[in-house]
Amino acid sequence: MNNEQLKTYRSFLKDSIRKKIAFKYTDQNQGVPVPPIQKPCPEDSVLLDLPSPDEWKNIPPADITQAIGNRKSRRVYLRQSLSLEELAYLLWCTQGLRGKEFNGHAYRNVPSAGCRHALETYIAVFHVKGLAPGVYRYLPLSHGLIFEFKDEMLPEKMITASLGQSYPGKSAVTFIWSAVPYRMEWRYGLAAHKVIALDAGHVCQNLYLACEAIDAGTCAIAAYDQEELDELLGLDGEEEFAVYLAPVGKVKKQP
Ligand SMILES: Cc1cc2nc3c(=O)[nH]c(=O)nc-3n(C[C@H](O)[C@H](O)[C@H](O)COP(=O)(O)O)c2cc1C
């Protein structure tokens, strides 16, 4: 680590870049059409509806103070499945919409810089009632899932892609968030990347708190093999790549 390197990498955390960007030249201000706010689905996609909030029967009301006070990273899970309703709840809490799409944006249950929401959610499903194991992608616009692929070796592959950390392969379901940077660059140009990382933090924090409400637990994971995980998910590594993971599973009930 030399001083120049440190300066360069530390500058990622600063907002000085804003003074250097000619915002009139961003794609948004140049009149380039707004990119899709959700990654499009291939025509032959298998789509699955998820139970919506007004259909949930077994999601208990949560005390926010208690959820915050109990929150911690949980890396060991019971051999117990999540229900489809619980999975729907976690997806809704982390990326669900709180309104309809209009003018190229949609408000969600988490904040996002400029409401650009440059993240996609993949889930590696291992033990969810009513859902075959495999990889799915959440569709916030319709509150549904698209089936991506199945792989008999998925637990092992998740573990090696997480640099040997076992919990992403021993969970009921592991969330993997990817970034689609152009969605944010369209508005902010070179100032897009720090705020994408900030956005991801909010998403994972909602997952932590929502897990507390359903006797589940999670653990944020930012240490993983970038190329291996992107390849496993079929992401090109340029226009879309993994940024964050979080395994989820049931844990012992709080006393
Ligand atoms: C951005 C971020 C990255 C993290 N990466 C990992 C990780 O790769 N593996 C892991 O076991 N824990 C990881 N953690 C969890 C931290 O180790 C944990 O939050 C910290 O030790 C504090 O414990 P607590 O969450 O129980 O308060 C990460 C947490 C954050 C916020």
Side-chain angles (χ1 to χ4, degrees):
M1 261 193 327
N2 63 41
N3 278 347
E4 274 318 298
Q5 260 184 330
L6 281 176
K7 254 178 143 170
T8 309
Y9 281 85
R10 283 179 181 177
S11 70
F12 170 80
L13 288 173
K14 299 184 177 179
D15 200 28
S16 317
I17 193 160
R18 193 171 297 272
K19 294 183 192 133
K20 296 187 199 140
I21 295 173
F23 277 97
K24 66 178 178 187
Y25 294 121
T26 60
D27 279 2
Q28 179 178 17
N29 287 330
Q30 290 292 300
V32 176
V34 63
I37 63 172
Q38 173 182 285
K39 184 178 173 181
C41 300
E43 270 181 20
D44 57 351
S45 300
V46 180
L47 301 175
L48 293 121
D49 285 334
L50 288 168
S52 52
D54 55 351
E55 294 170 319
W56 298 339
K57 294 190 174 65
N58 294 302
I59 304 297
D63 178 330
I64 189 74
T65 311
Q66 213 172 42
I68 292 172
N70 287 341
R71 184 218 65 83
K72 63 179 183 177
S73 294
R74 301 178 195 272
R75 299 177 176 85
V76 179
Y77 313 113
L78 300 173
R79 293 172 65 86
Q80 208 177 310
S81 297
L82 289 187
S83 68
L84 193 61
E85 190 175 289
E86 288 170 328
L87 176 66
Y89 166 68
L90 297 177
L91 288 163
W92 180 84
C93 288
T94 48
Q95 280 290 272
L97 256 56
R98 66 164 222 267
K100 293 218 178 317
E101 179 183 8
F102 67 100
N103 281 346
H105 69 281
Y107 292 109
R108 302 194 189 188
N109 293 329
V110 286
S112 169
C115 200
R116 296 309 308 145
H117 292 289
L119 301 171
E120 292 287 332
T121 309
Y122 294 83
I123 48 171
V125 169
F126 302 116
H127 304 291
V128 176
K129 279 176 220 147
L131 211 51
V135 173
Y136 299 76
R137 177 161 61 90
Y138 181 53
L139 306 176
L141 292 181
S142 56
H143 187 57
L145 289 175
I146 172 181
F147 175 72
E148 294 278 348
F149 63 89
K150 71 173 188 184
D151 184 330
E152 300 303 327
M153 299 295 288
L154 193 57
E156 293 79 2
K157 288 184 181 177
M158 285 300 297
I159 293 170
T160 46
S162 306
L163 304 173
Q165 301 183 86
S166 62
Y167 18 110
K170 294 189 169 172
S171 59
V173 55
T174 294
F175 284 56
I176 307 136
W177 294 288
S178 70
V180 180
Y182 181 66
R183 232 182 264 164
M184 192 67 84
E185 292 160 354
W186 174 80
R187 182 171 171 86
Y188 292 120
L190 292 177
H193 309 104
K194 173 186 165 185
V195 291
I196 294 175
L198 294 175
D199 279 7
H202 300 299
V203 174
C204 193
Q205 179 68 3
N206 265 21
L207 183 65
Y208 267 102
L209 297 180
C211 280
E212 293 297 329
I214 56 166
D215 294 321
T218 189
C219 177
I221 294 192
Y224 60 91
D225 184 318
Q226 184 69 53
E227 288 68 31
E228 207 169 312
L229 188 56
D230 287 343
E231 199 184 318
L232 177 60
L233 294 175
L235 310 181
D236 68 11
E238 294 290 339
E239 296 304 322
E240 185 181 7
F241 44 86
V243 291
Y244 212 12
L245 289 84
V248 173
K250 287 282 187 175
V251 293
K252 274 206 185 112
K253 265 196 169 165
Q254 304 296 325

PDB file of all heavy atoms in Angstrom, residues 41-56:
ATOM      1  N   CYS A  41     -36.893  -9.920 -18.667  1.00  0.00           N
ATOM      2  CA  CYS A  41     -36.924 -11.393 -18.595  1.00  0.00           C
ATOM      3  C   CYS A  41     -36.892 -11.957 -20.011  1.00  0.00           C
ATOM      4  O   CYS A  41     -37.567 -11.429 -20.893  1.00  0.00           O
ATOM      5  CB  CYS A  41     -38.208 -11.879 -17.937  1.00  0.00           C
ATOM      6  SG  CYS A  41     -38.417 -11.287 -16.275  1.00  0.00           S
ATOM      7  N   PRO A  42     -36.151 -13.048 -20.229  1.00  0.00           N
ATOM      8  CA  PRO A  42     -36.220 -13.708 -21.534  1.00  0.00           C
ATOM      9  C   PRO A  42     -37.656 -14.155 -21.832  1.00  0.00           C
ATOM     10  O   PRO A  42     -38.440 -14.400 -20.899  1.00  0.00           O
ATOM     11  CB  PRO A  42     -35.315 -14.938 -21.356  1.00  0.00           C
ATOM     12  CG  PRO A  42     -34.500 -14.674 -20.142  1.00  0.00           C
ATOM     13  CD  PRO A  42     -35.266 -13.717 -19.289  1.00  0.00           C
ATOM     14  N   GLU A  43     -37.991 -14.242 -23.127  1.00  0.00           N
ATOM     15  CA  GLU A  43     -39.395 -14.535 -23.502  1.00  0.00           C
ATOM     16  C   GLU A  43     -39.917 -15.856 -22.960  1.00  0.00           C
ATOM     17  O   GLU A  43     -41.079 -15.997 -22.624  1.00  0.00           O
ATOM     18  CB  GLU A  43     -39.534 -14.508 -25.023  1.00  0.00           C
ATOM     19  CG  GLU A  43     -39.884 -13.123 -25.497  1.00  0.00           C
ATOM     20  CD  GLU A  43     -40.066 -13.047 -26.997  1.00  0.00           C
ATOM     21  OE1 GLU A  43     -40.299 -14.100 -27.625  1.00  0.00           O
ATOM     22  OE2 GLU A  43     -39.961 -11.923 -27.514  1.00  0.00           O
ATOM     23  N   ASP A  44     -39.010 -16.864 -22.883  1.00  0.00           N
ATOM     24  CA  ASP A  44     -39.460 -18.199 -22.447  1.00  0.00           C
ATOM     25  C   ASP A  44     -39.352 -18.381 -20.928  1.00  0.00           C
ATOM     26  O   ASP A  44     -39.330 -19.502 -20.431  1.00  0.00           O
ATOM     27  CB  ASP A  44     -38.646 -19.280 -23.171  1.00  0.00           C
ATOM     28  CG  ASP A  44     -37.144 -19.109 -22.916  1.00  0.00           C
ATOM     29  OD1 ASP A  44     -36.754 -18.060 -22.331  1.00  0.00           O
ATOM     30  OD2 ASP A  44     -36.380 -20.014 -23.276  1.00  0.00           O
ATOM     31  N   SER A  45     -39.312 -17.273 -20.192  1.00  0.00           N
ATOM     32  CA  SER A  45     -39.108 -17.364 -18.737  1.00  0.00           C
ATOM     33  C   SER A  45     -40.259 -18.071 -18.034  1.00  0.00           C
ATOM     34  O   SER A  45     -41.415 -17.920 -18.422  1.00  0.00           O
ATOM     35  CB  SER A  45     -39.037 -15.965 -18.124  1.00  0.00           C
ATOM     36  OG  SER A  45     -38.001 -15.245 -18.672  1.00  0.00           O
ATOM     37  N   VAL A  46     -39.903 -18.802 -16.979  1.00  0.00           N
ATOM     38  CA  VAL A  46     -40.926 -19.378 -16.100  1.00  0.00           C
ATOM     39  C   VAL A  46     -41.134 -18.385 -14.955  1.00  0.00           C
ATOM     40  O   VAL A  46     -40.229 -18.127 -14.166  1.00  0.00           O
ATOM     41  CB  VAL A  46     -40.464 -20.738 -15.547  1.00  0.00           C
ATOM     42  CG1 VAL A  46     -41.517 -21.335 -14.626  1.00  0.00           C
ATOM     43  CG2 VAL A  46     -40.104 -21.686 -16.679  1.00  0.00           C
ATOM     44  N   LEU A  47     -42.340 -17.806 -14.899  1.00  0.00           N
ATOM     45  CA  LEU A  47     -42.631 -16.790 -13.872  1.00  0.00           C
ATOM     46  C   LEU A  47     -43.479 -17.389 -12.757  1.00  0.00           C
ATOM     47  O   LEU A  47     -44.373 -18.199 -13.019  1.00  0.00           O
ATOM     48  CB  LEU A  47     -43.390 -15.613 -14.489  1.00  0.00           C
ATOM     49  CG  LEU A  47     -42.695 -14.878 -15.633  1.00  0.00           C
ATOM     50  CD1 LEU A  47     -43.614 -13.823 -16.235  1.00  0.00           C
ATOM     51  CD2 LEU A  47     -41.412 -14.226 -15.155  1.00  0.00           C
ATOM     52  N   LEU A  48     -43.178 -16.997 -11.542  1.00  0.00           N
ATOM     53  CA  LEU A  48     -43.944 -17.479 -10.389  1.00  0.00           C
ATOM     54  C   LEU A  48     -44.425 -16.283  -9.589  1.00  0.00           C
ATOM     55  O   LEU A  48     -43.642 -15.380  -9.291  1.00  0.00           O
ATOM     56  CB  LEU A  48     -43.047 -18.301  -9.470  1.00  0.00           C
ATOM     57  CG  LEU A  48     -42.525 -19.612  -9.989  1.00  0.00           C
ATOM     58  CD1 LEU A  48     -41.020 -19.620  -9.990  1.00  0.00           C
ATOM     59  CD2 LEU A  48     -43.027 -20.705  -9.081  1.00  0.00           C
ATOM     60  N   ASP A  49     -45.708 -16.303  -9.223  1.00  0.00           N
ATOM     61  CA  ASP A  49     -46.239 -15.235  -8.378  1.00  0.00           C
ATOM     62  C   ASP A  49     -45.883 -15.515  -6.925  1.00  0.00           C
ATOM     63  O   ASP A  49     -45.874 -16.676  -6.504  1.00  0.00           O
ATOM     64  CB  ASP A  49     -47.772 -15.187  -8.481  1.00  0.00           C
ATOM     65  CG  ASP A  49     -48.198 -14.577  -9.801  1.00  0.00           C
ATOM     66  OD1 ASP A  49     -47.405 -13.783 -10.354  1.00  0.00           O
ATOM     67  OD2 ASP A  49     -49.307 -14.906 -10.275  1.00  0.00           O
ATOM     68  N   LEU A  50     -45.647 -14.468  -6.174  1.00  0.00           N
ATOM     69  CA  LEU A  50     -45.409 -14.617  -4.739  1.00  0.00           C
ATOM     70  C   LEU A  50     -46.614 -14.067  -3.978  1.00  0.00           C
ATOM     71  O   LEU A  50     -47.271 -13.135  -4.462  1.00  0.00           O
ATOM     72  CB  LEU A  50     -44.159 -13.824  -4.334  1.00  0.00           C
ATOM     73  CG  LEU A  50     -42.821 -14.402  -4.785  1.00  0.00           C
ATOM     74  CD1 LEU A  50     -41.696 -13.382  -4.581  1.00  0.00           C
ATOM     75  CD2 LEU A  50     -42.496 -15.693  -4.034  1.00  0.00           C
ATOM     76  N   PRO A  51     -46.891 -14.613  -2.791  1.00  0.00           N
ATOM     77  CA  PRO A  51     -47.986 -14.041  -2.002  1.00  0.00           C
ATOM     78  C   PRO A  51     -47.690 -12.580  -1.663  1.00  0.00           C
ATOM     79  O   PRO A  51     -46.577 -12.243  -1.272  1.00  0.00           O
ATOM     80  CB  PRO A  51     -48.028 -14.902  -0.732  1.00  0.00           C
ATOM     81  CG  PRO A  51     -46.872 -15.829  -0.789  1.00  0.00           C
ATOM     82  CD  PRO A  51     -46.243 -15.763  -2.138  1.00  0.00           C
ATOM     83  N   SER A  52     -48.684 -11.726  -1.860  1.00  0.00           N
ATOM     84  CA  SER A  52     -48.488 -10.292  -1.626  1.00  0.00           C
ATOM     85  C   SER A  52     -48.840  -9.945  -0.176  1.00  0.00           C
ATOM     86  O   SER A  52     -49.507 -10.738   0.511  1.00  0.00           O
ATOM     87  CB  SER A  52     -49.318  -9.481  -2.603  1.00  0.00           C
ATOM     88  OG  SER A  52     -50.642  -9.918  -2.557  1.00  0.00           O
ATOM     89  N   PRO A  53     -48.422  -8.779   0.314  1.00  0.00           N
ATOM     90  CA  PRO A  53     -48.634  -8.438   1.724  1.00  0.00           C
ATOM     91  C   PRO A  53     -50.064  -8.645   2.203  1.00  0.00           C
ATOM     92  O   PRO A  53     -50.281  -9.119   3.319  1.00  0.00           O
ATOM     93  CB  PRO A  53     -48.220  -6.959   1.786  1.00  0.00           C
ATOM     94  CG  PRO A  53     -47.181  -6.828   0.714  1.00  0.00           C
ATOM     95  CD  PRO A  53     -47.611  -7.760  -0.396  1.00  0.00           C
ATOM     96  N   ASP A  54     -51.080  -8.350   1.359  1.00  0.00           N
ATOM     97  CA  ASP A  54     -52.461  -8.502   1.846  1.00  0.00           C
ATOM     98  C   ASP A  54     -52.889  -9.970   1.921  1.00  0.00           C
ATOM     99  O   ASP A  54     -53.966 -10.278   2.446  1.00  0.00           O
ATOM    100  CB  ASP A  54     -53.435  -7.681   0.978  1.00  0.00           C
ATOM    101  CG  ASP A  54     -53.330  -8.030  -0.500  1.00  0.00           C
ATOM    102  OD1 ASP A  54     -52.393  -8.783  -0.860  1.00  0.00           O
ATOM    103  OD2 ASP A  54     -54.171  -7.575  -1.293  1.00  0.00           O
ATOM    104  N   GLU A  55     -52.048 -10.878   1.433  1.00  0.00           N
ATOM    105  CA  GLU A  55     -52.375 -12.321   1.514  1.00  0.00           C
ATOM    106  C   GLU A  55     -51.621 -13.027   2.642  1.00  0.00           C
ATOM    107  O   GLU A  55     -51.875 -14.192   2.927  1.00  0.00           O
ATOM    108  CB  GLU A  55     -52.014 -13.001   0.191  1.00  0.00           C
ATOM    109  CG  GLU A  55     -52.852 -12.537  -0.984  1.00  0.00           C
ATOM    110  CD  GLU A  55     -52.312 -13.039  -2.319  1.00  0.00           C
ATOM    111  OE1 GLU A  55     -51.077 -13.036  -2.510  1.00  0.00           O
ATOM    112  OE2 GLU A  55     -53.108 -13.435  -3.169  1.00  0.00           O
ATOM    113  N   TRP A  56     -50.644 -12.359   3.252  1.00  0.00           N
ATOM    114  CA  TRP A  56     -49.850 -13.027   4.284  1.00  0.00           C
ATOM    115  C   TRP A  56     -50.702 -13.360   5.492  1.00  0.00           C
ATOM    116  O   TRP A  56     -51.492 -12.531   5.954  1.00  0.00           O
ATOM    117  CB  TRP A  56     -48.677 -12.142   4.723  1.00  0.00           C
ATOM    118  CG  TRP A  56     -47.706 -11.828   3.618  1.00  0.00           C
ATOM    119  CD1 TRP A  56     -47.526 -12.510   2.452  1.00  0.00           C
ATOM    120  CD2 TRP A  56     -46.791 -10.729   3.570  1.00  0.00           C
ATOM    121  NE1 TRP A  56     -46.554 -11.908   1.682  1.00  0.00           N
ATOM    122  CE2 TRP A  56     -46.087 -10.817   2.342  1.00  0.00           C
ATOM    123  CE3 TRP A  56     -46.481  -9.677   4.440  1.00  0.00           C
ATOM    124  CZ2 TRP A  56     -45.103  -9.895   1.979  1.00  0.00           C
ATOM    125  CZ3 TRP A  56     -45.507  -8.765   4.078  1.00  0.00           C
ATOM    126  CH2 TRP A  56     -44.821  -8.884   2.865  1.00  0.00           C
TER     127      TRP A  56
END
